[in-house]
Amino acid sequence: MSAGAQRVAVIGAGPGGLYFAALAKGSAPHREITVWERDARDDAFGFGVVFSDETLDGIAQADPQVFAALSAEFARWSDIDVRYAGRVRTCGGHGFAALDRNRLRAILQQRCADLGVDVRYRTPAPPVERLAAEYDLVVAADGVRSATRAAFADAFRPELDERHCRYIWLATDKVFEAFTFIVERFDFGALQVHAYPYSGRRSTFIVEVAEEAWRKAGFETAAGREFGRGESDLASVRRCEQLLAGHLDGHRLIPNASRWIRFTTVRNAAWHHRNVVLLGDAAHTAHFSIGSGTKLALEDALALAAALHEQPDRARALAAYEAERRPVVESAQRAAQASLEWFETVERHTGQGPEQFAFNLLTRSRRVTYGNLRARDAAFVDAVDAAFDNAAFDNAAAGSDASGGTASDGTAPGGNGGVPPMFRPLRLGGLRLRNRIVVPPLATFTAVDGLPSGFDRAQLAAQALGGAGLVFTGMTAVSARGRATERCPGLWSDAQEDAWRSVVRSVRELGDTPLGVQLTHAGRRAASTVPGPDGIGHPLADGWPTLAASPLPWEPAGPPPREASAADLAGVVADFAAAAARADRAGFDVLGLQFGHGHLVSGFLSPLTNRRTDAYGGPLEHRLRLALEVLAAVRAAWPAGKPIVVRISAADWAPGGTTEAEAVAIGRALADAGADALDVSTGEVVAHQEVPYGRGYQVPFADLIRHATGAPTVAVGAISGHDDANSVLLAGRADLVAVGRAQLYDPLWTLHAAAEQGYTGPGARWPQPWQPGSRRPPGPGADRVAPRLRLRPEPAAPVHRRWLPGRPDDPPPERAPDRPERPATDRRPTEPAPN
């Protein structure tokens, strides 16, 4: 089938445009395909490109001839080197293939010529409106600054997000042996390099630096003039060469139209319009730190060619192409966003030791995790585990918790070897937690008259038995009018205090898991319905009067709250203090305060919901006043040895909301006022929020506040797997991890995580009656023993493979992880990096 596309115009003869043309012509030789390219056939742009095994498998199946030509020229390796603080840490088992971008283009040019594709070099494409009128299909592969996208901007609805760092794309005649990340600190800030080999003579060498550091380093002066097309900023190239000489070993940096630019993330609401379709960078971009844009463009080309072959008409082919590729690209863009944001804030992490820093870097995109790295290179993860353990011991001896917690049981350095990070102990205030997993407040909405229900009791008991280090009850109101719904429990009466005391005592009979209660006043989110599947409640038709910082309703059509007076606020402070005293008498070990999610105190903190002009509104120090008054009163009523955990919304996900700097200032003020840990959430402050939901999407805010303030933080939000929890903790992004909805799916989540990891130590204590079930049950086929089917065993793939052109393709000898290293500047160019 040809999907009604007999005459096809392709704008742009980069790898994506050429590969599509070759595939489309190869699958339907009768097609007339014309490619327009403004540059000459032999013009050289760019340096190396990197491919994943997945992409190569697709090329091998779609066009074996192209695959064979590419394979003959690949540089291949499996190691990643992280050069930081004068040391090198190496992680193996990854698998890379790269080659010169211009050789890739030449191979595709020849393939198009062999197939009879009409490629017109030095010929700018006619206006896209004309092409669309004359051809059945127009494929716009015209790059990140796509003129086609601009011509139909109303249809494609592009979003162009220009990022904060500057980078310059270079090559070097130093042939690196592995994918190499360099982070070097200077008086002006940090420089970071992304480098990898792509031939026996060259490596790609991308230098990246934050805007402020770029200016302080003097690059702004060199880059200040206008450059002609194809011209390079040679002054900046020489400056980079000088600054990074210790990593170049006497080799030079090679420019090619190289100048400082900012990365632009491209997103489009639609990828096709009538008979015009976007491909590659014209449709989307993903930051170079997670791979190659060329890779995504080739995958687009394959998918589009396949859709044209499989679908009965053009409209359905273009819809199928976008439906297939958009989820893949958006997943890559989420990973790329996390990665680029990590590099934009790299100086946040430059106080970490070499092992933890390397692990942090490798897991930055959330695609690579603790378990994933252990499967690739167990020795690398063992070394990071040991460094984490020793740092915790050293800081415990010094009375510090800066490493991410203290081994408060007196364990010697290395004594936690083999213990997953989530099962390391932590001292929080005067309380010792056996592990780092927290069950956050999970409301049941089953209370009557503010009294905890039988289901509240059963849920708390189940979760206390489930192995977590700390378990909270659902949100508990400090007054009747502070309830979010009629079915929320409270702690404002003697009856409620007695009921909670009974709940705590019954759970205590089952075990000694620390129990916490979260106190709140729901503010303008009070008097709402029980939330539906979306987790959001709506104002009751006959609800009670509500209180807020300013008379702004939660929903535009909802009833406005009353602006709180000074007397109202004094009453709220007293209610929190009284509830805290009741919580202590009821037997709770930890007190949580809800200062986020649009509840009353959160409404004072956010500039979106606080329009006051008195001492409680305006600048942040005024907006903090109520939070600090509540915390002071609660701290006075709550025993000094018992910890207080304060939840905040570190972002409002709406224009004009809380900034990162304000979130840090809020966290610092609360920690200074007596909060023992900060539970860092985001959002639910305004109804018109736009949240970029995704796995671990809130973790960067816990990381930000932890490193800026030194206060212990709890990471929360879309963390459902033990692998993610271990990654967050070992990278130093948080001290505790809250696992919420996954605990509703499996109240024994923590114990099952221990079984899945083969951990049986004190950090995961199974209740005595359940110990026979503490091992993972065997699955289907577990009793089958496979026969021997090979005369000689197949050799295992080496963990470490380095690019050593011109030498035997054998893996280098591996060194013991604890062997001392020489600084990067002393290493011979071909010396294999240690683990």
Side-chain angles (χ1 to χ4, degrees):
M1 287 188 286
S2 60
Q6 303 305 312
R7 300 186 72 234
V8 180
V10 180
I11 305 173
L18 290 172
Y19 188 48
F20 166 77
L23 292 176
K25 185 72 171 177
S27 64
H30 60 277
R31 280 197 182 111
E32 176 190 329
I33 300 180
T34 306
V35 182
W36 277 269
E37 173 56 52
R38 67 178 181 177
D39 294 315
R41 177 188 178 107
D42 297 326
D43 284 351
F45 292 104
F47 301 107
V49 292
V50 182
F51 295 101
S52 67
D53 291 339
E54 187 177 55
T55 303
L56 294 178
D57 288 345
I59 295 174
Q61 185 277 329
D63 196 325
Q65 210 167 321
V66 168
F67 178 76
L70 296 177
S71 296
E73 302 196 28
F74 279 140
R76 292 183 178 272
W77 70 95
S78 68
D79 280 356
I80 297 176
D81 288 350
V82 179
R83 297 184 171 209
Y84 161 75
R87 312 286 281 181
V88 177
R89 293 294 179 266
T90 298
C91 181
H94 296 270
F96 296 96
L99 83 162
D100 188 327
R101 184 181 186 275
N102 295 297
R103 282 298 303 142
L104 168 64
R105 200 159 57 100
I107 290 168
L108 294 174
Q109 286 170 344
Q110 186 59 53
R111 183 63 173 149
C112 285
D114 294 343
L115 291 167
V117 175
D118 180 8
V119 184
R120 302 179 181 180
Y121 294 100
R122 294 188 181 276
T123 309
V128 66
E129 295 87 349
R130 186 176 127 198
L131 290 176
E134 296 177 359
Y135 286 80
D136 299 321
L137 178 66
V138 178
V139 179
D142 49 348
V144 67
R145 297 177 180 84
S146 170
T148 306
R149 187 182 64 226
F152 292 119
D154 290 344
F156 295 125
R157 303 190 301 283
E159 175 192 331
L160 307 180
D161 179 15
E162 188 175 67
R163 300 306 301 179
H164 311 308
C165 281
R166 302 270 186 160
Y167 71 97
I168 186 167
W169 205 294
L170 304 162
T172 175
D173 55 2
K174 173 181 170 63
V175 181
F176 284 91
E177 298 177 7
F179 206 116
T180 303
F181 292 102
I182 301 167
V183 177
E184 193 76 59
R185 299 175 73 180
F186 298 93
D187 56 357
F188 56 79
L191 274 184
Q192 56 231 29
V193 174
H194 313 249
Y196 57 87
Y198 63 84
S199 74
R201 301 184 303 111
R202 295 283 189 272
S203 298
T204 293
F205 198 88
I206 307 167
V207 183
E208 187 178 23
V209 60
E211 178 76 13
E212 183 179 359
W214 179 79
R215 295 181 188 279
K216 288 181 178 178
F219 288 119
E220 182 180 25
T221 302
R225 68 178 183 86
E226 288 291 326
F227 292 93
R229 189 165 187 269
E231 187 181 3
S232 295
D233 179 356
L234 296 179
S236 288
V237 175
R238 299 288 82 82
R239 173 85 164 128
C240 289
E241 211 169 59
Q242 294 164 3
L243 291 168
L244 297 163
H247 300 280
L248 292 169
D249 299 324
H251 293 272
R252 62 195 175 102
L253 293 179
I254 303 166
N256 183 343
S258 302
R259 64 195 72 167
W260 293 106
I261 55 176
R262 293 189 181 94
F263 185 83
T264 299
T265 299
V266 175
R267 300 179 180 90
N268 284 278
W271 292 5
H272 67 279
H273 171 59
R274 298 199 295 264
N275 66 333
V276 179
V277 62
L278 303 178
L279 184 147
D281 285 354
H284 49 72
T285 59
H287 193 252
F288 51 80
S289 61
I290 70 157
S292 167
T294 301
K295 165 190 174 299
L296 292 176
L298 296 184
E299 292 172 356
D300 283 356
L302 191 155
L304 180 57
L308 290 171
H309 179 72
E310 294 165 357
Q311 299 299 322
D313 57 62
R314 183 187 65 211
R316 277 186 270 192
L318 298 186
Y321 158 69
E322 183 169 345
E324 177 184 333
R325 286 297 295 159
R326 183 178 286 278
V328 176
V329 168
E330 289 179 349
S331 174
Q333 287 186 316
R334 284 192 295 271
Q337 187 74 12
S339 181
L340 76 84
E341 289 176 358
W342 192 92
F343 280 109
E344 285 177 344
T345 58
V346 68
E347 292 201 62
R348 184 184 302 169
H349 309 289
T350 52
Q352 293 183 322
E355 288 82 8
Q356 189 176 45
F357 182 87
F359 180 86
N360 198 344
L361 185 151
L362 292 174
T363 59
R364 68 195 180 280
S365 72
R366 305 177 201 137
R367 280 189 165 182
V368 176
T369 60
Y370 177 85
N372 182 276
L373 286 178
R374 181 168 287 286
R376 294 171 187 261
D377 188 346
F380 171 80
V381 177
D382 285 343
V384 181
D385 270 337
F388 180 84
D389 188 20
N390 291 340
F393 180 87
D394 292 343
N395 284 319
S400 166
D401 197 35
S403 74
T406 61
S408 55
D409 55 358
T411 305
N416 281 321
V419 178
M422 63 182 284
F423 293 113
R424 307 292 176 88
L426 177 80
R427 185 164 295 282
L428 188 64
L431 182 67
R432 181 188 183 278
L433 305 181
R434 69 172 66 97
N435 64 52
R436 307 294 185 98
I437 300 302
V438 176
V439 179
L442 298 170
T444 66
F445 301 107
T446 57
V448 176
D449 296 328
L451 297 172
S453 68
F455 199 93
D456 285 315
R457 182 187 299 262
Q459 177 170 288
L460 190 65
Q463 290 166 345
L465 289 169
L470 172 62
V471 177
F472 277 96
T473 67
M475 58 181 178
T476 302
V478 299
S479 66
R481 292 193 172 186
R483 290 174 296 165
T485 77
E486 293 176 315
R487 305 305 302 276
C488 290
L491 250 179
W492 68 82
S493 72
D494 291 343
Q496 292 160 355
E497 180 182 328
D498 291 341
W500 279 117
R501 184 180 297 108
S502 173
V503 169
V504 171
R505 283 177 177 170
S506 66
V507 176
R508 284 274 184 268
E509 292 175 0
L510 304 175
D512 61 354
T513 299
L515 304 176
V517 59
Q518 185 193 68
L519 301 180
T520 189
H521 187 299
R524 69 178 187 146
R525 299 195 65 184
S528 295
T529 61
V530 171
D534 62 356
I536 302 295
H538 303 282
L540 289 168
D542 55 351
W544 55 90
T546 58
L547 198 66
S550 300
L552 304 173
W554 170 256
E555 295 179 350
R562 181 168 59 82
E563 182 172 294
S565 67
D568 292 328
L569 298 180
V572 167
V573 171
D575 288 342
F576 269 97
R582 290 184 183 279
D584 177 43
R585 293 194 296 269
F588 285 104
D589 305 292
V590 179
L591 194 70
L593 298 176
Q594 173 60 293
F595 286 2
H597 292 181
H599 286 221
L600 181 64
V601 178
S602 170
F604 276 80
L605 292 172
S606 172
L608 295 177
T609 50
N610 186 340
R611 308 287 179 80
R612 302 171 74 101
T613 57
D614 62 3
Y616 290 90
L620 180 58
E621 56 266 32
H622 290 183
R623 304 199 311 270
L624 265 164
R625 184 174 178 180
L626 178 62
L628 296 177
E629 288 178 349
V630 169
L631 181 54
V634 166
R635 186 76 273 182
W638 183 251
K642 289 187 175 183
I644 294 176
V645 177
V646 181
R647 170 169 285 187
I648 62 172
S649 286
D652 299 338
W653 302 120
T658 300
T659 66
E660 287 191 356
E662 288 178 326
V664 167
I666 291 168
R668 182 177 289 114
L670 295 172
D672 291 345
D676 294 283
L678 300 169
D679 181 355
V680 184
S681 186
T682 64
E684 297 189 44
V685 175
V686 291
H688 61 277
Q689 65 181 8
E690 294 185 6
V691 184
Y693 293 111
R695 210 174 97 244
Y697 71 102
Q698 296 179 144
V699 171
F701 294 95
D703 188 6
L704 165 70
I705 291 173
R706 181 179 188 271
H707 284 89
T709 68
T713 60
V714 184
V716 64
I719 302 171
S720 58
H722 60 75
D723 201 14
D724 286 335
N726 283 326
S727 299
V728 168
L729 294 165
L730 192 58
R733 298 177 188 130
D735 303 274
L736 294 159
V737 172
V739 178
R741 294 190 181 187
Q743 296 278 358
L744 298 179
Y745 177 78
D746 178 11
L748 303 188
W749 184 92
T750 307
L751 294 180
H752 289 158
E756 289 171 9
Q757 296 173 83
Y759 173 71
T760 59
R765 189 181 304 164
W766 281 80
Q768 184 64 38
W770 292 352
Q771 284 190 357
S774 62
R775 293 183 179 180
R776 192 175 188 179
D783 57 345
R784 180 180 180 274
V785 179
R788 177 171 182 153
L789 300 175
R790 290 180 176 273
L791 179 63
R792 295 181 179 84
E794 186 176 2
V799 173
H800 297 284
R801 183 180 179 187
R802 302 181 76 78
W803 176 238
L804 303 170
R807 302 205 301 186
D809 191 23
D810 293 325
E814 297 187 16
R815 294 187 190 156
D818 59 350
R819 177 170 174 172
E821 294 182 310
R822 293 193 302 278
T825 52
D826 294 338
R827 175 165 288 120
R828 296 191 304 273
T830 56
E831 182 180 354
N835 289 335

